[in-house]
């Protein structure tokens, strides 16, 4: 049996970042094991698949403070402008980096590229051991330690287990942690699209009768598409020809980027709010999508998860430096209480936006378009959304 201070189940974005943050903030004095089921080969890893993520400016700054952004930056495409509109209505809002006094609002990065960078960093840290490919198949908690059994046969013991093993979170199931779910009744169709006009750093969020359509700027002149719709509408769209798919997308999105020219491989993901009731338990903390999987509207999911990871790393590292038991409930409750307001607000914001813009009530349509109109003319009305979009939320 190998002994560590911390075992992290899951080595995708949240798990890898947690390990690197803990290692950095503790000065390499914490012994950390990362258990990951799949090697992050480009496009094959479910946590690093064909999708891209929009890292808010605040998230990029957090990576920079950890000494990680320099390696990630070459793979990022800056978002300079965000355009929000409601199809069939006049209301719209704009968020501009220059107006907000930042060099960019965020950066779009392909998960596969981020995965390659972070795993290279993990293997370069002497205090981090990576068990990959492997998986946690059993968990035993005692008063002073937690022991995990791995699929390959090894047992690891630690003071703290961090579950960063994705939205389905096998660790949460093994521990019987209560979860709450809300099915949005939507599916996200994900693909990369090329356009006749250059995106020039513009990101678009367009609300339609069936759900939001987002196009985010990417490298090589491409855009990352997230198109939300009902399952009945999504199923045929994953099977039609590229030309038919682009024609239907053009009708919904419009011509702001000219003619839509090409579409890459399409993937469909059901959209469900899935969150643990409590993100901490005896010698266990749950982070990232394992803690909460959000609707992709407004691009808040990973940015919220990153703030969880940073706060957990800060709290645990500080407790370690004080000589405290890093897996004890008082330390974990300190972390959870710091994160609760941001978590509740972000979940409420994303869920509220989904229901507001998916409802075709004439009264609600008038209200939301009046709201978008106010955002376009009165800066203080727009600021709460701007703060979340840029990620200027204290990670504690």
């Amino acid at each position: 049996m190998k002994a560590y201070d911390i075992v992290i189940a899951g080595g995708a974005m949240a798990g890898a970042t947690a390990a690197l943050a803990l290692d950095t903030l503790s000065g390499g004095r914490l012994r950390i094991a990362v258990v990951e089921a799949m090697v992050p080969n480009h496009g094959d890893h479910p946590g690093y698949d064909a999708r891209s993520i929009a890292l808010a400016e605040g998230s990029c700054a957090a990576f920079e403070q950890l000494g990680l952004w320099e390696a990630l930056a070459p793979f990022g495409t800056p978002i300079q402008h965000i355009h929000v509109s409601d199809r069939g209505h006049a209301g719209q809002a704009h968020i501009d980096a220059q107006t907000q006094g930042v060099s960019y609002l965020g950066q779009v990065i392909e998960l596969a590229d981020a995965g390659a960078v972070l795993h290279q960093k993990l293997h370069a840290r002497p205090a981090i051991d990576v068990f990959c490919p492997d998986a946690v198949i059993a968990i035993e908690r005692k008063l002073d330690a937690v022991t995990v059994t791995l699929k390959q046969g090894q047992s690891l013991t630690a003071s703290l287990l961090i579950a960063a093993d994705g939205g389905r979170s096998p660790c949460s199931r093994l521990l019987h942690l209560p979860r709450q779910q809300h099915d949005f009744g939507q599916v996200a169709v994900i693909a990369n699209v090329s356009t006749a006009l250059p995106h020039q750093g513009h990101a678009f969020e367009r609300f339609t009768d069936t759900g939001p359509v987002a196009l985010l700027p990417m490298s090589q002149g491409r855009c990352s598409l997230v198109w939300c719709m009902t399952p009945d509408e999504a199923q045929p769209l994953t099977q039609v020809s590229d030309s038919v798919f682009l024609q239907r997308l053009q009708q919904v999105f419009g011509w702001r980027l000219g003619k839509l020219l090409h579409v890459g491989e399409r993937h469909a993901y059901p959209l469900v709010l899935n969150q643990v009731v409590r993100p901490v338990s005896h010698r266990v903390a749950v982070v990232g999508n394992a803690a909460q999987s959000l609707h992709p509207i407004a691009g808040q999911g990973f940015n919220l998860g990153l703030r969880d990871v940073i706060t957990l790393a800060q709290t645990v590292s500080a407790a370690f430096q004080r000589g405290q038991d890093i897996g004890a409930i008082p330390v974990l409750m300190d972390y959870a209480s710091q994160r609760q307001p941001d978590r509740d607000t972000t979940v409420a914001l994303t869920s509220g936006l989904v229901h507001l813009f998916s409802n075709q009530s004439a009264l609600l349509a008038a209200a939301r378009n009046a709201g978008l109109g106010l955002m376009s003319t009165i800066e203080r009305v727009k600021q709460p959304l701007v703060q979340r979009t840029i990620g200027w939320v204290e990670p504690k």
Side-chain angles (χ1 to χ4, degrees):
M1 181 180 295
K2 288 193 172 183
Y4 293 91
D5 294 301
I6 300 170
V7 172
I8 300 175
M13 289 293 290
T17 303
L20 293 166
L22 284 160
D23 183 65
T24 298
L25 294 175
S26 70
R29 291 186 295 151
L30 283 168
R31 296 161 300 161
I32 301 167
V34 176
V35 182
E36 173 50 49
M38 295 184 69
V39 178
N41 294 326
H42 202 288
D44 295 333
H45 190 296
Y48 295 123
D49 59 16
R51 292 173 294 176
S52 298
I53 52 170
L55 293 175
E57 194 271 349
S59 295
C60 298
F63 275 123
E64 188 166 7
Q65 289 170 359
L66 292 171
L68 299 174
W69 182 243
E70 184 178 359
L72 290 168
F75 301 100
T77 301
I79 299 173
Q80 301 291 347
H81 316 273
I82 297 176
H83 181 269
V84 183
S85 62
D86 193 2
R87 184 169 182 253
H89 301 278
Q92 54 185 273
H94 300 266
I95 304 174
D96 179 77
Q98 186 174 5
T99 302
Q100 299 302 321
V102 292
S103 55
Y104 52 78
L105 299 168
Q107 296 264 353
V108 180
I109 187 167
E110 291 184 70
L111 284 168
D113 292 328
V117 169
L118 294 181
H119 268 253
Q120 184 181 32
K121 296 286 186 183
L122 286 178
H123 287 285
R125 300 290 179 98
I128 300 176
D129 289 342
V130 179
F131 295 82
C132 179
D134 215 330
V136 174
I137 60 170
I139 303 170
E140 181 184 7
R141 291 185 286 180
K142 294 184 178 179
L143 182 63
D144 60 349
V146 56
T147 301
V148 301
T149 303
L150 304 187
K151 188 175 183 179
Q152 301 290 350
Q154 285 224 325
S155 292
L156 312 178
T157 184
S159 297
L160 173 64
L161 169 65
I162 298 176
D165 49 349
R168 296 178 181 176
S169 187
C171 284
S172 295
R173 290 202 303 272
L174 288 170
L175 294 165
H176 305 290
L177 299 181
R179 305 186 74 88
Q180 53 191 24
Q181 294 188 341
H182 172 70
D183 190 339
F184 291 109
Q186 293 181 346
V187 169
V189 176
I190 312 291
N192 293 334
V193 177
S194 61
T195 60
L197 298 178
H199 55 63
Q200 296 182 312
H202 281 77
F204 297 89
E205 181 109 44
R206 185 158 174 77
F207 297 100
T208 75
D209 292 348
T210 56
V213 178
L215 279 173
L216 305 176
M218 291 179 65
S219 60
Q220 301 169 359
R222 300 169 298 160
C223 290
S224 174
L225 168 69
V226 182
W227 187 359
C228 302
M229 63 192 75
T230 66
D232 289 342
E233 292 164 325
Q235 199 276 332
L237 269 180
T238 60
Q239 300 175 351
V240 297
S241 67
D242 289 355
S243 60
V244 171
F245 181 89
L246 289 169
Q247 183 181 29
R248 294 184 184 175
L249 177 60
Q250 192 93 64
Q251 292 171 347
V252 171
F253 177 72
W255 296 83
R256 289 178 177 83
L257 292 173
K259 184 176 177 60
L260 305 178
L261 301 177
H262 303 287
V263 61
E265 185 176 352
R266 290 163 251 163
H267 302 266
Y269 300 90
L271 298 178
V272 178
L273 171 62
N274 180 357
Q275 60 181 144
V276 289
V277 175
R278 290 177 296 277
V280 298
S281 180
H282 177 62
R283 300 213 169 271
V284 173
V286 188
V287 299
N289 283 342
Q292 64 269 318
S293 297
L294 306 185
H295 192 287
I297 194 170
Q300 291 294 308
F302 177 73
N303 294 293
L304 174 63
L306 179 62
R307 295 195 293 271
D308 288 345
V309 163
I310 297 297
T311 302
L312 179 61
Q314 291 171 338
T315 305
V316 168
S317 297
F320 176 73
Q321 289 165 5
R322 292 192 298 265
Q324 293 178 281
D325 180 350
I326 61 173
I329 278 294
V331 173
L332 299 181
M333 288 301 296
D334 179 23
Y335 154 72
S337 64
Q338 291 181 64
R339 294 300 306 139
Q340 194 70 38
D342 182 20
R343 187 178 186 230
D344 289 348
T345 300
T346 305
V347 169
L349 170 69
T350 54
S351 299
L353 284 173
V354 173
H355 294 298
L356 175 63
F357 282 94
S358 296
N359 193 307
Q360 295 313 301
S361 156
L363 184 61
L364 275 179
R368 70 190 181 223
N369 276 276
L372 285 174
L374 284 172
M375 284 185 187
S376 68
T377 56
I378 303 175
E379 189 65 24
R380 70 174 181 273
V381 174
K382 187 166 61 178
Q383 275 307 303
L385 179 61
V386 170
Q387 298 290 317
R388 293 272 153 189
T389 300
I390 299 178
W392 288 350
V393 182
E394 287 295 324
K396 57 183 177 179

